[in-house]
Amino acid sequence: MGRVVILLGAPGAGKGTQAAQLSKNLGLAHISTGDLFRENLKNNTPLGDQAREFMNSGRLVPDALVIEMLFDRVSKPDCEVGYLLDGFPRTIPQAAALEEALGTDADVVALSIEIRDAAIIERATGRLLCRGCTAIYHRTFSPPAQAGVCGECGGELFQREDDQEEVVAKRLNVYHAETAPLVEYYSDRDLLVGVNGEQAPDQVTEALLAGLSASCAADDRGSN
Ligand code: AMP
């Protein structure tokens, strides 16, 4: 097992955007548990049916379901050399399950995208997705030329159910209660790199890559 990069950050901190950049840059498979669940929802699988209510109300899907789905995904050949996790772990039991599964073989680093709640609410509640392709817009920061219509494919734009303001607030509460403790968890293990998430996306990517290089250099020094 090679390298496992964990992206931490509140929902809406830009983990998905950054994960896509980092996975390209590092040549690691991008594993998003949110995307895996949405795929299951779309295909009406039994797992999707079990997860739907939790997701739509901004709650976390129970650990056992997430852990099973994740381990099944990372057992695929494209994860043999390592992978990048976006949205997992989200609780201490999930982190402990991952730590146990990886043992001492993997080179693990947790990158934390730091951002204030107020900035998250502004970002998330303005986000618009296309039903036809994967394009993402923002009412304020990157509005479509024609309201409600995707400039890439002409598809209809919509707001994700869990991006509505009350749901975002609920997800932030859940984040502070359940996921924020992971920052300390990885910091205690000397595996944490924090970056300022309130910069332009390109700058955040640069900071994340710089943080990763610095952590690898420190590892190399440690093992020499
Ligand atoms: P995301 O796209 O990462 O924001 O995930 C969307 C939703 O999927 C979350 O609000 C949760 O309901 C569920 N979910 C995704 N990843 C996890 C996880 N690691 N643990 C529990 N629930 C998750």
Side-chain angles (χ1 to χ4, degrees):
M1 164 55 55
R3 193 178 212 193
V4 175
V5 177
I6 297 166
L7 263 188
L8 295 177
K15 290 192 300 297
T17 309
Q18 294 304 328
Q21 294 303 323
L22 291 183
S23 109
K24 247 194 276 168
N25 212 295
L26 303 169
L28 294 176
H30 170 190
I31 311 297
S32 154
T33 42
D35 283 350
L36 291 173
F37 278 128
R38 278 185 287 277
E39 186 77 24
N40 276 281
L41 242 60
K42 205 164 102 190
N43 296 330
N44 285 312
T45 66
L47 177 62
D49 289 341
Q50 282 174 284
R52 178 170 288 110
E53 225 188 283
F54 295 99
M55 292 180 71
N56 287 345
S57 62
R59 281 177 298 157
L60 293 182
V61 177
D63 287 335
L65 288 180
V66 191
I67 290 169
E68 193 187 333
M69 176 183 74
L70 191 268
F71 286 170
D72 177 57
R73 175 63 187 87
V74 300
S75 68
K76 304 259 155 58
D78 64 335
C79 292
E80 247 168 47
V81 293
Y83 45 88
L84 188 141
L85 289 173
D86 160 14
F88 185 96
R90 276 238 215 339
T91 64
I92 298 279
Q94 290 178 20
L98 180 68
E99 188 171 76
E100 197 189 322
L102 293 175
T104 51
D105 290 350
D107 169 15
V108 178
V109 56
L111 302 172
S112 171
I113 303 178
E114 294 156 356
I115 178 167
R116 288 164 307 126
D117 283 7
I120 300 262
I121 291 180
E122 188 181 17
R123 280 186 188 187
T125 55
R127 182 158 60 179
L128 296 169
L129 276 68
C130 175
R131 286 198 199 281
C133 67
T134 54
I136 302 175
Y137 297 85
H138 191 281
R139 287 198 180 95
T140 314
F141 306 128
S142 56
Q146 191 184 343
V149 180
C150 176
E152 304 285 326
C153 75
E156 182 197 357
L157 300 182
F158 72 103
Q159 183 178 45
R160 235 168 74 171
E161 186 116 11
D162 53 359
D163 276 344
Q164 287 165 28
E165 187 157 353
E166 31 334 341
V167 182
V168 174
K170 165 86 183 163
R171 292 167 87 208
L172 279 172
N173 286 340
V174 171
Y175 170 78
H176 288 296
E178 311 240 28
T179 310
L182 292 177
V183 170
E184 198 179 327
Y185 181 96
Y186 287 108
S187 166
D188 285 349
R189 286 157 177 73
D190 241 350
L191 299 174
L192 189 81
V193 175
V195 310
N196 172 11
E198 292 192 40
Q199 325 176 59
D202 286 355
Q203 289 174 305
V204 178
T205 310
E206 260 173 49
L208 290 168
L209 288 170
L212 264 177
S213 304
S215 94
C216 289
D219 276 357
D220 289 346
R221 280 195 300 278
S223 59
N224 283 337

